Amino acid sequence: MGKKLYITTAIPYVNGTPHIGNALDYLLADIWTRYEKQNGKEVRFQVGTDEHGNKIAAKAAELGIAPKEYADKMYGNFELLMKKVDAQYTDFIRTTDPHHIGAVQYIWQKLQPYIYKGSYEGWYCMGHEAFFTDKEVEATSGVCPDHQTPYERVSEENYYLKASAFTDKLREALETGRMEIVPEFRKKEFLELIKDGVQDVSISRPKKSLTWGVPVPGDPEQIMYVWIDALANYITVLGYPDVAGWEEYWPADIQVIGKDILRFHAGIWPAMLMGLDLPLPKKLLVHGFVNVGGAKMSKTVGNVVDPNQIIDDYGLDAFRYFFSRHIPTQDDGDFTWEKFENAYNLELGNDLGNLVSRVAGMITRYQSGVIGEAPQGDHDMKPYFDAMAALQFNQAIEETWKTVRSLNKYIEMVKPWEIAAKRSSDPEAEAHLGEVLAQAVGTLLQVADQLTPFLPATAATIKKTFSSGVIVPIEGIGGLFPKIYKHTEDPRTVKVAQAEKK
């Protein structure tokens, strides 16, 4: 067996509310994890929370409690969402964990040859906990577009990481594919961003400006700034530097991130790793944003969609289906309740749910629930495998749906209910009917295999229904996906129901 596999997700600040972007990180990493496990691989899957910084200290002060106490109250919101998405993670890290803090101080000391002290003057956004260039500030008229707050002019003495020293090595790693950025257009964007070299980056702030964080070894008046602390989590969670076995998993096979943090993961993080003499991650999978009706989600506008609400109202597999199929894995996507309900009713409810109950119903009715010898599904799996290998999960599930739709067409075309009606007059009708229904079962079991990484509960139900040789009735009212019609009445369902009665 080859190297054990490792996938990571970005760690969110605990002071926020978990949102669709976090859920997307967990979902994409989980799809890949389940797929690799299905293929017999061993996978380690990291999640966690970022618990240091001014935003957290400010929020704790507002509530009159210590920052750690505030973090202890808040991190569970993210843990809850990970569990709700049914992410099969193996490792959960909090940046306030004692091992992480010790490891980060060790990393600082190892990076000493690339760290220097310097004065900094620049524009700072508390919401991002990041500094911005004059050019970026001018472009937004001095106001952060994400947080609607003016940038602050800050002058202070900080430690810097000499990231510029690694520009050539980083370019070479990207151009040779030693570290891949997926999709390709994001790699081009990043190479354009560093065409004049990677910028050195401030990695500490004076205690008067940043009170809550990991103290700099040997200089208690300085606190480590977010990059060294947060980015290091991907290796410290494995046990770097002192817990045996961490090297079995590093480098990460895939690091799942949103497009807004690409420059940190493709610039600062590789510089840190090269400074530590560690290999770079193999791939950065960069997903886009989920807009709502074409507009960016914003608390101010009031169009924020809560992943918890979707899962509570429609069920987990409905959530997993929409966000894996209708939101492109590698680009921006768009959510509206109407699109979501159409996908639920027409695709999950009608195309798949109705198909499963029709086939199960006909076998129960015409064969007393006994399933004939089901052949292997014979649909070409190559496009599905290719899409999974390219990390285009939306394309892979699209391929699965082509199989679902072609089976629906096949049933409409051969009309098993008409074959069943001829059994008393045609001696060959019984065998023909058995073949047709067995073919349908074989295809549904192939569909269930392909859906296992995406819709684990649905895939398990399909397998349970058809795998034992005798139909196991689906539990629950309304079968796999009980119908809901809030925005649309679907005329196709009526036709299907009539066809079944025949």
Side-chain angles (χ1 to χ4, degrees):
M1 187 171 161
K3 172 188 171 295
K4 293 169 177 176
L5 302 180
Y6 180 42
I7 188 163
T8 73
T9 58
I11 55 170
Y13 284 122
V14 284
N15 64 309
T17 317
H19 55 74
I20 288 288
N22 309 129
L24 208 52
D25 274 0
Y26 309 143
L27 175 61
L28 297 178
D30 186 61
I31 289 168
W32 186 83
T33 299
R34 286 173 189 270
Y35 179 70
E36 293 296 347
K37 283 182 173 174
Q38 206 181 358
N39 291 307
K41 304 279 176 45
E42 187 184 324
V43 184
R44 228 165 133 171
F45 168 2
Q46 158 281 356
V47 290
T49 44
D50 188 351
E51 301 186 6
H52 290 130
N54 279 336
K55 280 192 286 195
I56 286 147
K59 199 73 194 161
E62 211 178 282
L63 298 169
I65 58 176
K68 176 67 164 71
E69 194 185 335
Y70 174 69
D72 289 345
K73 283 179 190 293
M74 296 297 286
Y75 85 93
N77 295 334
F78 292 90
E79 196 173 30
L80 207 64
L81 179 62
M82 295 158 192
K83 290 190 165 140
K84 225 169 194 173
V85 170
D86 198 15
Q88 292 193 322
Y89 62 87
T90 54
D91 296 83
F92 187 111
I93 187 165
R94 299 177 59 188
T95 56
T96 50
D97 291 341
H99 177 268
H100 173 78
I101 292 169
V104 164
Q105 290 182 314
Y106 170 84
I107 286 168
W108 182 283
Q109 287 164 321
K110 283 263 305 189
L111 289 173
Q112 214 54 60
Y114 303 100
I115 292 175
Y116 63 93
K117 212 166 193 181
S119 291
Y120 179 85
E121 188 166 342
W123 298 100
Y124 179 74
C125 167
M126 166 95 123
H128 281 289
E129 298 228 6
F131 291 101
F132 290 83
T133 61
D134 288 346
K135 204 168 158 186
E136 286 170 313
V137 171
E138 272 164 37
T140 57
S141 313
V143 176
C144 170
D146 294 332
H147 300 98
Q148 304 300 315
T149 51
Y151 296 101
E152 296 168 57
R153 190 74 184 165
V154 170
S155 173
E156 58 190 32
E157 195 176 38
N158 301 340
Y159 285 103
Y160 283 80
L161 177 67
K162 200 170 170 50
S164 56
F166 301 102
T167 299
D168 293 342
K169 273 174 133 180
L170 179 59
R171 272 207 200 102
E172 184 261 340
L174 288 168
E175 281 159 359
T176 58
R178 190 154 52 86
M179 180 173 89
E180 234 183 293
I181 296 177
V182 178
E184 178 77 12
F185 72 88
R186 294 273 178 234
K187 177 180 102 174
K188 288 182 177 146
E189 278 173 14
F190 181 72
L191 284 169
E192 177 60 26
L193 188 71
I194 62 162
K195 67 176 193 291
D196 301 325
V198 179
Q199 301 293 300
D200 289 356
V201 62
S202 164
I203 53 168
S204 80
R205 299 196 68 198
K207 211 168 185 174
K208 64 179 169 58
S209 311
L210 175 63
T211 53
W212 174 236
V214 180
V216 166
D219 189 347
E221 287 314 299
Q222 291 270 333
I223 300 289
M224 280 188 215
Y225 190 34
V226 63
W227 311 125
I228 295 273
D229 176 14
L231 289 165
N233 94 85
Y234 301 124
I235 52 176
T236 66
V237 73
L238 295 174
Y240 178 87
D242 57 333
V243 178
W246 67 268
E247 307 96 322
E248 291 178 45
Y249 292 91
W250 191 261
D253 296 272
I254 293 173
Q255 296 209 252
V256 180
I257 55 169
K259 66 178 183 180
D260 53 332
I261 51 175
L262 173 62
R263 63 188 182 132
F264 310 120
H265 283 77
I268 301 166
W269 177 223
M272 285 169 61
L273 288 166
M274 289 189 271
L276 294 168
D277 212 12
L278 292 176
L280 302 183
K282 293 180 183 177
K283 277 182 191 170
L284 299 179
L285 170 59
V286 189
H287 65 78
F289 289 157
V290 179
N291 296 318
V292 175
K296 192 173 176 184
M297 270 192 224
S298 134
K299 283 180 191 163
T300 326
V301 178
N303 66 347
V304 174
V305 176
D306 178 2
N308 289 295
Q309 186 198 346
I310 301 174
I311 296 167
D312 290 346
D313 290 356
Y314 296 88
L316 174 60
D317 276 10
F319 171 86
R320 289 179 67 109
Y321 174 77
F322 185 86
F323 286 92
S324 55
R325 183 170 182 211
H326 289 283
I327 302 297
T329 312
Q330 299 175 13
D331 209 343
D332 291 347
D334 193 61
F335 175 92
T336 65
W337 285 106
E338 190 171 3
K339 278 183 189 171
F340 182 84
E341 282 164 6
N342 276 334
Y344 183 99
N345 289 324
L346 305 187
E347 294 163 14
L348 279 177
N350 203 57
D351 291 346
L352 180 63
N354 199 47
L355 173 65
V356 169
S357 38
R358 284 179 88 188
V359 173
M362 288 188 286
I363 292 170
T364 303
R365 215 158 33 245
Y366 307 138
Q367 299 182 162
S368 307
V370 177
I371 302 165
E373 191 61 44
Q376 284 288 109
D378 58 357
H379 285 263
D380 179 14
M381 294 274 277
K382 189 177 183 304
Y384 170 86
F385 291 137
D386 289 350
M388 290 302 282
L391 305 179
Q392 289 176 321
F393 302 144
N394 56 309
Q395 194 49 50
I397 199 167
E398 185 68 46
E399 291 300 330
T400 307
W401 233 255
K402 285 180 187 169
T403 305
V404 168
R405 290 199 165 129
S406 76
L407 179 55
N408 271 310
K409 277 186 190 147
Y410 170 75
I411 287 172
E412 286 304 316
M413 191 178 72
V414 299
K415 298 182 173 59
W417 50 91
E418 288 185 3
I419 303 171
K422 292 179 192 161
R423 283 180 297 178
S424 53
S425 56
D426 180 352
E428 286 172 17
E430 189 77 56
H432 184 201
L433 179 64
E435 266 168 43
V436 166
L437 294 176
Q439 178 70 38
V441 168
T443 304
L444 280 172
L445 290 172
Q446 183 180 337
V447 163
D449 272 340
Q450 288 179 244
L451 286 180
T452 295
F454 297 92
L455 314 181
T458 301
T461 300
I462 295 172
K463 286 179 181 173
K464 186 179 167 189
T465 305
F466 297 109
S467 287
S468 71
V470 178
I471 290 294
V472 176
I474 294 166
E475 290 160 19
I477 300 160
L480 273 178
F481 299 100
K483 293 280 181 232
I484 34 156
Y485 295 109
K486 289 184 185 170
H487 293 127
T488 57
E489 182 60 57
D490 173 24
R492 284 190 291 169
T493 315
V494 181
K495 285 181 194 163
V496 167
Q498 286 166 349
E500 264 203 66
K501 276 179 193 161
K502 287 178 183 178

